Every structure is written in structure tokens, then in C-alpha cells.
Amino acid sequence: MSSQAVQHAITFLEDPKVKKGASVADKIKFLRGKGLSDKEIEEAAKSVGDKGVVDEVKEKIEVTIPDKIFTLEELATLKGEKGKPLCLSCKGIVYKVDPEFYGSGKAYSVFSGADCSRHLAKVKVGSAELNQHWTTHLTDTQVTTLDDWEEKYQKKYEILGKIDVAQLKESKKSTKKNTKY
């Protein structure tokens, strides 16, 4: 990215409407959507004195993923029943999630015991694309949305391990191929 892109980011961050009405998350999401790296966003935010944006992009999540590899069959048993944890997978990482949202009969219960990456990317509740690979046939916007979900899960939930991604099915959905993966 060029210094011109950073200059455009500065102009964006100095806009009175943005200063007054946009959240830190919205500012960062917009700038990332324009292709700026966190380093470039930080540079622009520093130059306009937007401490909230600076602090947010500097905050890097240190993620430690246990060595445990789950098969899809094992993951399917982790639905919070019979003393087992309630889990789902996002981008191949297995998270122990909250029964308030993912437990039996709850709005997102269909995601429990499966990799739900494609549904998260598309902001769509259902089971049609569970356990399908997330690296193909998603638009760049959907990939960004999925990355946002991944970040939320990393901040909120305990990581138990990862799934054997070789078991995931290739998506047959015909949407624009993303360029991020």
C-alpha cells in the first residue's frame, strides 16, 4: 500500500461525520476493506490523534492453540450433552462456546458440533454448508466477515484444539472466489 492510501485514510479519519458518528470498529473495518494493513491504519490514526483506532489495531491477540486434533466425528459429539463440552469450529479452530447461544433449542444450536465457517461468513443460520471448507467460493467481503467472527471467538471463548481440515468438504457453491486465501 502506498503513502497515498495512508493519506486517504487520514482524510477519512478527519472527516467530521466519521469523527462524530463512526465507532472504532467501523473505522477499522472500513479501512481494512479498502486494503490498508493494520500498520497503515495505525500510521494514519496516529497522525490524526485517533487513540481509539491506534489502540485497537495495536492490540494483537496471542492465540495458543492446543495440539489436540479433532476429527469431524469427534467434533459432532461436542454438543454439551453427557458431560461433554459444547463446541463449534470456526476456520478449523475448535471453541468451547456458550450454551446461551449455541445450546440445544437456541438460535445458533445448528452450529454446535460442526465447523460453521461458511455460514458465519455469509451471516446465515443453517446446516447446508456445515463442515465445508472456507477457503473457496467466498467473496472477499464474506472472508472479511469470517475473519471478524474468528476474532470475536478468539477474544471470547476457550480454544480446545483444531479440526482435521482435510476432512472438510470442498464447497460446490458458485460465488466469486476470494483472493485472501
Side-chain angles (χ1 to χ4, degrees), residues 39-124:
K39 184 176 179 179
E40 291 165 327
I41 294 169
E42 181 183 353
E43 181 183 337
K46 278 183 179 177
S47 72
V48 299
D50 193 328
K51 185 174 174 6
V53 171
V54 171
D55 290 346
E56 184 69 21
V57 295
K58 284 180 79 172
E59 179 185 306
K60 298 293 178 196
I61 302 169
E62 290 296 322
V63 177
T64 303
I65 302 171
D67 293 333
K68 170 70 177 152
I69 306 288
F70 293 89
T71 66
L72 292 178
E73 293 78 22
E74 288 173 307
L75 181 59
T77 68
L78 302 180
K79 295 186 175 192
E81 300 165 349
K82 299 179 184 174
K84 293 186 178 182
L86 176 62
C87 298
L88 62 74
S89 171
C90 173
K91 291 177 66 174
I93 305 301
V94 177
Y95 298 91
K96 181 177 176 183
V97 293
D98 190 338
E100 181 181 346
F101 302 108
Y102 301 98
S104 181
K106 300 299 182 181
Y108 305 107
S109 63
V110 68
F111 294 161
S112 66
D115 185 281
C116 58
S117 302
R118 295 186 65 76
H119 286 277
L120 294 171
K122 294 179 178 186
V123 192
K124 185 176 176 182

